[in-house]
Amino acid sequence: MKGIELAARFAFITNALRFCGPEEASSQFLNYFEKKDNEKQLEDSIRKFEGLYPYLGTIAEKAGKSLFDYSVVEAYWIGNSLLEKFERKDMESIIRKLMTRGLMKSMGERLIKDMPEGMFPHHNFNVMYVGVGNTSGKVETNLNNMDNCRISMGRVVEVLDDKLLVATKPLRFGNNKYYIGDEEIKTAVYNNIALEGVKKGNIVALHWGYACVSLDEKQANSLENYSMRIINIINQSLKDS
């Protein structure tokens, strides 16, 4: 799979829900899943996503790779070793870029001032630290939306015509800390062209109740590792505050 397709798979649902990106992007993504003949359109549209582009651009620049290199896209949505290269100044730079694309200046300055050490540019950093909806202004920042927007994963327990039943663990908050709750069975929608061949037992990445891509063991471990690192850093900052 090309990096541009991986980006489209994760970005599709938020655009279809009109949370971010140009209105025409979701139909362009669907066309690409089926025909693979409009890559330039996708590249242009993804550059217009309020939050996504600053992250991909910064990861690509830091790694010396192209914007849609597979490893760059994978680092942001799933997690890989490219995230290990980031320093505080790099993360501050991302926040400043977000401030030019919708994030309120006062909020951005506070996020820079209060940023805990050890952060890195994974999507779940954007959800849990920058705040779901704070850049686009189209989603309320609350625990339920954080859980929906973060990249999580689930084990497929049944494949239906247009849905999957997945066993997944939700994000919870209690005793002044975030944690991952007990496994629940939830329904996820999916695109049967993009996710052709999905079957019971597969591990899929989830974004707003949409199954984006099947994860191999290494990717699943990376997603869990980088997600928990972000949660642990935020919990420590809550404890210290």
Side-chain angles (χ1 to χ4, degrees), residues 149-165:
C149 191
R150 75 187 179 101
I151 305 305
S152 59
M153 57 185 165
R155 175 177 47 82
V156 177
V157 296
E158 188 173 351
V159 179
L160 307 175
D161 288 340
D162 59 346
K163 301 180 183 68
L164 305 175
L165 295 184

Side-chain angles (χ1 to χ4, degrees), residues 43-184:
E43 290 181 0
D44 291 344
S45 287
I46 288 173
R47 291 174 189 273
K48 297 174 184 176
F49 274 68
E50 294 86 345
L52 177 57
Y53 179 62
Y55 285 96
L56 292 184
T58 304
I59 295 169
E61 182 179 1
K62 188 78 172 176
K65 296 178 179 290
S66 65
L67 184 67
F68 295 108
D69 184 275
Y70 185 91
S71 64
V72 169
V73 178
E74 181 187 57
Y76 176 68
W77 289 113
I78 299 171
N80 61 36
S81 61
L82 295 186
L83 300 179
E84 302 297 335
K85 300 180 179 181
F86 281 80
E87 302 172 10
R88 184 186 183 90
K89 64 180 181 180
D90 302 312
M91 301 306 296
E92 292 176 356
S93 173
I94 290 174
I95 300 296
R96 292 191 181 94
K97 291 174 184 176
L98 294 175
M99 289 162 63
T100 70
R101 299 173 73 92
L103 183 66
M104 290 179 57
K105 182 179 179 182
S106 58
M107 180 176 291
E109 290 174 345
R110 178 180 58 78
L111 290 170
I112 289 172
K113 176 178 177 290
D114 296 339
M115 190 185 302
E117 294 298 327
M119 286 296 198
F120 45 86
H122 189 277
H123 178 71
N124 291 349
F125 162 84
N126 188 69
V127 171
M128 299 191 66
Y129 185 70
V130 177
V132 55
N134 281 341
T135 301
S136 70
K138 296 179 180 178
V139 180
E140 183 180 351
T141 304
N142 57 41
L143 182 64
N144 185 61
N145 285 341
M146 289 169 66
D147 188 33
N148 281 324
C149 191
R150 75 187 179 101
I151 305 305
S152 59
M153 57 185 165
R155 175 177 47 82
V156 177
V157 296
E158 188 173 351
V159 179
L160 307 175
D161 288 340
D162 59 346
K163 301 180 183 68
L164 305 175
L165 295 184
V166 296
T168 184
K169 296 180 179 180
L171 180 69
R172 297 287 187 239
F173 185 81
N175 297 319
N176 201 38
K177 68 177 182 179
Y178 293 97
Y179 62 96
I180 302 301
D182 295 334
E183 189 172 83
E184 300 176 354

